[in-house]
Amino acid sequence: MKNVLQNWVSVETSIAKAPFIELFLDFDGTIAPIESTPDRVLLPAGVRKILISLHKTGKCRVGIISGRALSDILQMVNLKGFYYAGNHGFEIAGPNLKFRYKLAKEQNESLQELFNELQESVGGISGVLIEDKRYSLSIHYRLVNPLEAAYVRKVVKESASNYPGLKLTKGKMVLELRPKVEWNKGDAVETIRESFSTKGLPIYVGDDKTDEDVFRKFSKGITVRVGRSEVSAARYYVNSHAQVYAMLGRILMILRRPR
Ligand SMILES: [Mg+2]
């Protein structure tokens, strides 16, 4: 795994050669710094400006691929002409594109039942935040006392094990539960790409476990993980948000050059 900024020459060559860029970005922890609670997270004004400028070049399509509910991520980013995937890809919206993954009745019921169960068992613990996102549940424990956090994780794992149709994944101070189906962020990115009449160069930046599905699927594209990790399928990494922003700025400079 190489640092993308330190190996920029080959990346730059690929970008300069491509007819256009397909820039797919995870939201939390990638373009927006993580905060104590998900509702405090904001897209920094500087990043917003770069994203708008990238889109304005006419040589870059931008997709935001998030675990948040689609309505939530739409509101957070709120930029026209962009593509959005919410709920780890279960909901997609964008220019001429609207997609909702169809869950089975039992899967919806399991999510609802487990949500109610968890509300009762751990929902009352100070700092626990359980989000019902309809297609998935998020149990945030960043603000929970560390001793209790272990208990919360244990209860969630145990309760989830009673629902074999649901899959548990661990994010940064959050546990996510979604239906065990063959559909993930990688499929969402592919669905968005299929709506393009011609293909550009895909670039994907993400920081978490669920982003690995995209890294694996687009192994020939430019895949960048926020934070170095030897087990990641991404080709490149950046050290920090600052480096994500620097990379976006460099892409913008290339796209603004006359050809
Ligand atoms: Mg993330």
Side-chain angles (χ1 to χ4, degrees):
M1 201 180 210
K2 300 180 204 162
N3 185 294
V4 73
L5 299 181
Q6 284 162 13
N7 292 272
W8 191 248
V9 178
S10 71
V11 175
E12 180 168 4
T13 310
S14 312
I15 293 174
K17 271 198 310 210
F20 66 95
I21 302 303
E22 304 174 3
L23 181 64
F24 295 103
L25 305 162
D26 167 54
F27 185 72
D28 292 87
T30 298
I31 53 169
I34 291 174
E35 296 285 346
S36 52
T37 58
D39 59 335
R40 299 181 77 137
V41 172
L42 283 175
L43 181 62
V47 185
R48 180 177 293 277
K49 240 173 108 181
I50 297 181
L51 292 179
I52 294 170
S53 302
L54 281 164
H55 185 246
K56 269 195 189 152
T57 62
K59 297 173 199 159
C60 185
R61 296 186 189 163
V62 190
I64 311 294
I65 314 297
S66 175
R68 289 177 182 258
L70 179 63
S71 55
D72 188 6
I73 194 67
L74 277 168
Q75 201 192 337
M76 287 269 172
V77 180
N78 192 23
L79 290 171
K80 288 227 164 61
F82 282 33
Y83 294 83
Y84 297 90
N87 259 307
H88 311 284
F90 286 132
E91 311 172 279
I92 305 172
N96 304 314
L97 182 61
K98 187 181 176 203
F99 171 91
R100 300 289 180 274
Y101 190 90
K102 188 131 184 43
L103 291 183
K105 191 163 166 270
E106 312 83 72
Q107 292 168 326
N108 279 314
E109 285 168 358
S110 295
L111 285 167
Q112 204 52 56
E113 262 179 54
L114 183 54
F115 174 73
N116 294 336
E117 231 175 77
L118 292 174
Q119 277 289 23
E120 241 171 68
S121 57
V122 294
I125 295 175
S126 170
V128 171
L129 172 67
I130 308 176
E131 274 187 289
D132 177 4
K133 300 183 291 183
R134 220 163 74 78
Y135 291 86
S136 65
L137 308 178
S138 295
I139 301 96
H140 301 269
Y141 56 92
R142 184 172 297 275
L143 294 180
V144 177
N145 161 332
L147 292 171
E148 276 182 314
Y151 171 76
V152 172
R153 285 197 300 268
K154 183 170 157 267
V155 171
V156 173
K157 273 179 205 158
E158 276 175 14
S159 305
S161 68
N162 296 324
Y163 295 88
L166 301 181
K167 174 159 76 183
L168 177 73
T169 51
K170 198 175 167 301
K172 291 178 177 154
M173 306 302 266
V174 60
L175 293 170
E176 310 257 26
L177 282 149
R178 56 194 160 124
K180 213 180 258 175
V181 292
E182 289 297 314
W183 190 267
N184 56 45
K185 281 184 165 186
D187 299 291
V189 170
E190 198 152 82
T191 302
I192 295 172
R193 297 191 74 209
E194 276 165 10
S195 78
F196 303 159
S197 50
T198 55
K199 293 279 172 275
L201 172 73
I203 300 180
Y204 188 82
V205 193
D207 73 317
D208 230 323
K209 187 105 197 268
T210 55
D211 298 308
E212 293 295 328
D213 294 318
V214 194
F215 296 150
R216 273 191 294 273
K217 198 155 215 145
F218 298 100
S219 52
K220 290 201 185 102
I222 296 170
T223 50
V224 184
R225 187 178 191 276
V226 184
R228 189 181 187 149
S229 158
E230 286 318 317
V231 293
S232 175
R235 274 169 70 189
Y236 299 100
Y237 73 93
V238 287
N239 289 320
S240 59
H241 294 116
Q243 290 201 334
V244 175
Y245 310 152
M247 183 181 96
L248 296 178
R250 287 191 188 187
I251 296 173
L252 180 60
M253 280 195 332
I254 302 169
L255 298 186
R256 275 181 170 167
R257 270 184 219 147
R259 299 199 190 190

